[in-house]
Amino acid sequence: VLFRSEPQRFDAAALPAKLEDGTPMPPGTVVIDQAGGGATARRASSFGAVLAHGPYISLPHGRYRVSFFLRADSARASARMVRLDVREDSDSWRSSLWSWIVHGREVDGPSYQRIDHEFTSTGEGSFSIAVVTLTRDPVFFSRVEVTPIGGPSSHAMIGAAR
């Protein structure tokens, strides 16, 4: 799949997901999250589950922002909730562009929180993300968005989702 120039949205329910042992997640993990405003989301409460991975798309060389939309119910502030990974791979090399541990204080509450990261694509590999649970507490992942941007910075930003 080639990336278009406008922002791309990938819903969690449409991305592949698997349990810690590699088996596909059961269908019941895709829910209509009424507490989260009725968003369709993937819910997990098992350690090591991959809530989503993909979309395995080609990105032209340039700067991008990837935005993850997550929330949790009654999460302990210091609890490690999920690990977010951003990768760019080819047949001959693998590159982890970014990995981030999200704590309870960053995603606790009824509203989805957006966690952004800016990165540069080489334009030579396949872009993908992974959302991996690090707790047995319920975690909800709604979607990931990829947006072409300009500018040289690379950092994480956390804020309320719109």
Side-chain angles (χ1 to χ4, degrees), residues 63-83:
R63 301 276 308 146
Y64 296 87
R65 177 182 303 109
V66 60
S67 302
F68 296 85
F69 293 81
L70 299 137
R71 74 171 203 84
D73 288 327
S74 304
R76 293 167 301 170
S78 63
R80 293 164 37 110
M81 302 302 290
V82 296
R83 185 185 76 231

Side-chain angles (χ1 to χ4, degrees), residues 4-149:
R4 300 187 309 245
S5 60
E6 65 270 7
Q8 299 292 300
R9 175 182 169 145
F10 303 93
D11 291 326
L15 292 171
K18 58 188 172 185
L19 298 174
E20 182 180 11
D21 64 4
T23 59
M25 288 191 109
T29 60
V30 174
V31 297
I32 302 299
D33 184 8
Q34 296 303 331
T40 300
R42 190 171 299 278
R43 178 188 182 275
S45 54
S46 60
F47 183 86
V50 180
L51 281 170
H53 61 95
Y56 307 105
I57 57 174
S58 297
L59 297 176
H61 175 72
R63 301 276 308 146
Y64 296 87
R65 177 182 303 109
V66 60
S67 302
F68 296 85
F69 293 81
L70 299 137
R71 74 171 203 84
D73 288 327
S74 304
R76 293 167 301 170
S78 63
R80 293 164 37 110
M81 302 302 290
V82 296
R83 185 185 76 231
L84 305 176
D85 295 326
V86 176
R87 302 186 59 88
E88 189 173 47
D89 301 325
S90 78
D91 291 338
S92 59
W93 52 268
R94 298 184 72 156
S95 174
S96 179
L97 300 174
W98 180 69
S99 191
W100 182 263
I101 302 296
V102 176
H103 292 86
R105 69 182 152 272
E106 298 169 285
V107 294
D108 187 37
S111 299
Y112 278 87
Q113 298 298 308
R114 187 179 82 198
I115 300 177
D116 292 336
H117 176 68
E118 295 178 8
F119 66 96
T120 300
S121 170
T122 64
E124 299 174 6
S126 176
F127 165 81
S128 66
I129 60 95
V131 180
V132 181
T133 59
L134 301 175
T135 182
R136 295 198 191 303
D137 296 332
V139 179
F140 296 84
F141 172 58
S142 174
R143 67 188 185 276
V144 63
E145 295 175 357
V146 183
T147 307
I149 58 169

